[in-house]
Amino acid sequence: MVEGSMTQGAGQGPVVRTATLRDFRVPPYAQVPVQSQSSSHEYVLAHPEDSVPQAVPPRVGEPAAQPAPAAEPETPPRTAPEAEPGGDQAAPVRAEDSVPQAPPVHPGNAFPDDEPPEGYTPTERDLPVINRGDTVQVTVAAAEQPEPAAEGLGPLYVVGDVHGYLEELVAALTAQGLVDAEGHWSAGNTRLWFLGDFTDRGPDGIGVIDLVMRLSAEAAAAGGYCKALMGNHELLLIGAKRFGDTPVNSGAGTATFQAAWLLNGGQKSDMDRLQDVHLQWMSRLDAVVEEDGHLLMHSDTTAYLDYGTTIEDVNDKVHEIINRNDADECWDLFRKFTKRFAFRDDDGPQAVRELLATYGGGRVVHGHSPIPYLLGEVGTEDADGEGNSEPLVEGPHVYADGLAIAMDGGVTMAGKLLVAELPLQG
């Protein structure tokens, strides 16, 4: 983990709000001045548990095709009306949903152009719905009480998957009092952990990384810290940059990081702005940490056990693989980090206990799998376009006998970007 003042692109000109295409109503919490472009293209991959594109055998006489999504019944994407460019955003529908507005000075690297950059494509948010009746919300009291923070340390916060939605991130951090009206750290000795997945699908992944890097330096100067974990999309972006179209053994034929990155919503604008400082920062992120009795990780999978029996072993092994620069080895690491839902089924509590017994802590906190999937819910709009404007996700999801907390609120679908203080209250 690198901490320092490696700030790229902060302090750009005034925010220019452009039209935003999203296939669900913008929830009240996100109604802030936005400088986003059309959403990215998201694909249905072969298996929800393992979001890695599968190879498709070519027909006789035809050139080999790039890895493509499995044939999943497609639902036409629903598109909300475009936001009107210029002017201030309308007031939130409900007072209780109102949050402070995003800072007038953009904290990241969003583009001021009126037109989306070349190669920026809309997202088809037609991922499969997993309808389940056995996933329930349980009370936090069911879990073992986490250990108190060490003396001199401030409160602990975690942030779920951001996926390039910089404006929503700033609004959520501001609402929690972690940044001020200008987007600067204002939380003193507070500890803040991002659970990974900063880029892809959303409009400004590099701006998100720049913001987190800057807040890391500002928090350290104030006596706190802002840190981040390695997500599968960080591995994907590193691989796409380093290996491009180099073939890798995917286990189901030939694949490439470049194709997988595009299939998972990779944005040309992010790749164009990606610098060595971003790659170095991402490459040094840890995969798993323990804080105050909470085992923090990106993916809801037991694949971490493949890389060591201690937290230090896992992190050292992940860094070693990335530094060795072997395409096949990096692909296997990426593939394992895309696995999901290990804690959701009947064997889920036992899977969590295995991780806790190995690495320590009393509860796992993860991102990666959107809460709408864990709950079997997605957003809808009626034929007239007057759908429910309320986000389906109101907060973190506690499950697996109270041993797991899901933090991916599904900002790329009918959810919200979650920032929560640990331990959760009641």
Side-chain angles (χ1 to χ4, degrees), residues 131-368:
N131 292 308
R132 302 182 55 83
D134 59 348
T135 301
V136 297
Q137 188 86 20
V138 299
T139 61
V140 175
E144 177 183 339
Q145 289 297 321
E147 300 174 2
E151 185 177 355
L153 295 178
L156 174 65
Y157 284 80
V158 290
V159 183
D161 300 34
V162 182
H163 283 299
Y165 286 95
L166 178 60
E167 297 295 346
E168 287 83 347
L169 173 61
V170 171
L173 294 174
T174 303
Q176 292 284 357
L178 300 173
V179 300
D180 60 22
E182 296 180 348
H184 294 288
W185 182 262
S186 62
N189 65 348
T190 293
R191 297 164 294 156
L192 178 62
W193 275 99
F194 284 80
L195 300 180
D197 278 8
F198 301 107
T199 67
D200 305 333
R201 299 176 182 154
D204 195 3
I206 298 301
V208 170
I209 292 177
D210 284 336
L211 174 63
V212 177
M213 291 171 65
R214 175 168 61 77
L215 291 179
S216 176
E218 294 177 354
Y225 58 74
C226 171
K227 300 183 179 181
L229 293 178
M230 175 79 69
N232 60 304
H233 281 262
E234 281 68 66
L235 291 169
L236 186 57
L237 183 57
I238 292 170
K241 180 66 173 180
R242 287 185 180 175
F243 307 116
D245 289 324
T246 300
V248 295
N249 184 4
S250 69
T254 301
T256 71
F257 269 104
Q258 176 73 13
W261 175 70
L262 291 171
L263 288 172
N264 282 274
Q267 297 301 308
K268 184 179 183 298
S269 58
D270 283 342
M271 186 63 74
D272 289 343
R273 297 157 62 205
L274 183 64
Q275 301 177 30
D276 286 343
V277 66
H278 302 127
L279 289 170
Q280 293 167 5
W281 182 80
M282 289 188 292
S283 297
R284 293 174 177 144
L285 297 178
D286 284 338
V288 58
V289 297
E290 188 270 335
E291 289 272 6
D292 298 354
H294 297 90
L295 189 63
L296 310 182
M297 56 182 59
H298 174 70
S299 304
D300 47 327
T301 177
T302 58
Y304 294 89
L305 297 169
D306 295 345
Y307 297 99
T309 57
T310 69
I311 289 175
E312 293 76 14
D313 288 344
V314 174
N315 293 329
D316 288 346
K317 185 64 175 178
V318 169
H319 296 153
E320 178 184 332
I321 291 172
I322 293 174
N323 290 331
R324 259 202 302 268
N325 232 19
D326 180 276
D328 285 327
E329 200 171 22
C330 287
W331 178 269
D332 189 61
L333 178 63
F334 160 68
R335 180 182 63 84
K336 288 180 178 178
F337 270 43
T338 63
K339 294 184 181 297
R340 64 176 84 241
F341 300 143
F343 314 146
R344 189 193 62 183
D345 297 320
D346 292 340
D347 295 333
Q350 181 56 37
V352 178
R353 291 187 179 96
E354 184 178 6
L355 287 168
L356 297 175
T358 302
Y359 302 128
R363 173 178 277 166
V364 164
V365 182
H366 69 86
H368 189 50

Side-chain angles (χ1 to χ4, degrees), residues 58-70:
R59 297 180 181 176
V60 176
E62 294 182 356
Q66 292 293 334

